[in-house]
Amino acid sequence: MSMLLRTLAVAAFALVACDAYRPPALPTSNVETAPPDPLPDVETPAPISPEVQPVPPAPVQTQLTVTGDVSVDPPDAPTLHEANAITLRYGLVGARGTHQLRLELKTPAGAAYQVFEREIDAEPNTEAVAEFELPVAGTVIDTYNLAGVWTAHLFFDGRELTTRTFELQP
């Protein structure tokens, strides 16, 4: 019995797959059909008047002034082997509210070395200060003598604000 079913299934598949097979046409009717009823009239709502349309708030344009300096600890360390740390200090005037700062440090060879992230809360008309300390003594910088010009990229809410360089002497 199962052999008969398998044979019928193969035959049906062959007929469907065959390009010469066409299903029989449906019988036509002599009965006329009426056209479909038109859609009922729907009243289109009136457009919103300009006085009522919501207006998105304008983006706040922040005019930022960035200051900064680089200091070595201890201040009189002549080479990177005598330095304990490098401090990068940034001051921002013109920021209001909470913002994200990101400092990306690149080695003299241009490789990414370290990323610092800080959140600042800035008051209007005051300087928001952020300090980033880069340890030197006992780190890869000291061990592998990574002397040369380093690059620091400062980002404010994802947008690059400034690039600063500093040099570590061998």
Side-chain angles (χ1 to χ4, degrees):
M1 178 95 154
S2 73
M3 183 65 147
L4 178 62
L5 288 175
R6 190 177 353 196
T7 304
L8 287 174
V10 169
F13 178 74
L15 282 176
V16 170
C18 178
D19 198 29
Y21 173 75
R22 300 277 186 250
L26 295 174
T28 58
S29 167
N30 291 337
V31 178
E32 289 186 31
T33 57
D37 291 333
L39 293 174
D41 289 336
V42 176
E43 190 173 317
T44 306
I48 299 174
S49 68
E51 297 82 30
V52 180
Q53 290 181 346
V55 178
V60 176
Q61 296 297 325
T62 305
Q63 182 64 31
L64 288 176
T65 303
V66 181
T67 60
D69 60 52
V70 178
S71 61
V72 179
D73 174 36
D76 58 347
T79 69
L80 70 86
H81 299 294
E82 283 124 18
N84 293 324
I86 304 292
T87 301
L88 293 102
R89 182 185 181 278
Y90 291 92
L92 292 102
V93 177
R96 293 178 193 92
T98 303
H99 299 280
Q100 296 294 320
L101 290 181
R102 178 182 175 96
L103 184 71
E104 296 179 359
L105 292 174
K106 307 267 184 182
T107 67
Y113 182 77
Q114 190 166 359
V115 174
F116 297 96
E117 293 185 343
R118 299 271 189 287
E119 187 174 271
I120 61 166
D121 290 317
E123 297 293 327
N125 303 319
T126 61
E127 182 181 47
V129 177
E131 288 188 351
F132 305 92
E133 185 175 280
L134 174 66
V136 175
T139 67
V140 171
I141 297 170
D142 184 26
T143 305
Y144 291 99
N145 195 29
L146 297 180
V149 178
W150 287 66
T151 307
H153 299 275
L154 181 68
F155 294 84
F156 178 84
D157 291 338
R159 181 177 52 114
E160 187 167 5
L161 276 185
T162 188
T163 299
R164 176 175 302 279
T165 59
F166 60 94
E167 186 172 2
L168 294 177
Q169 296 294 325

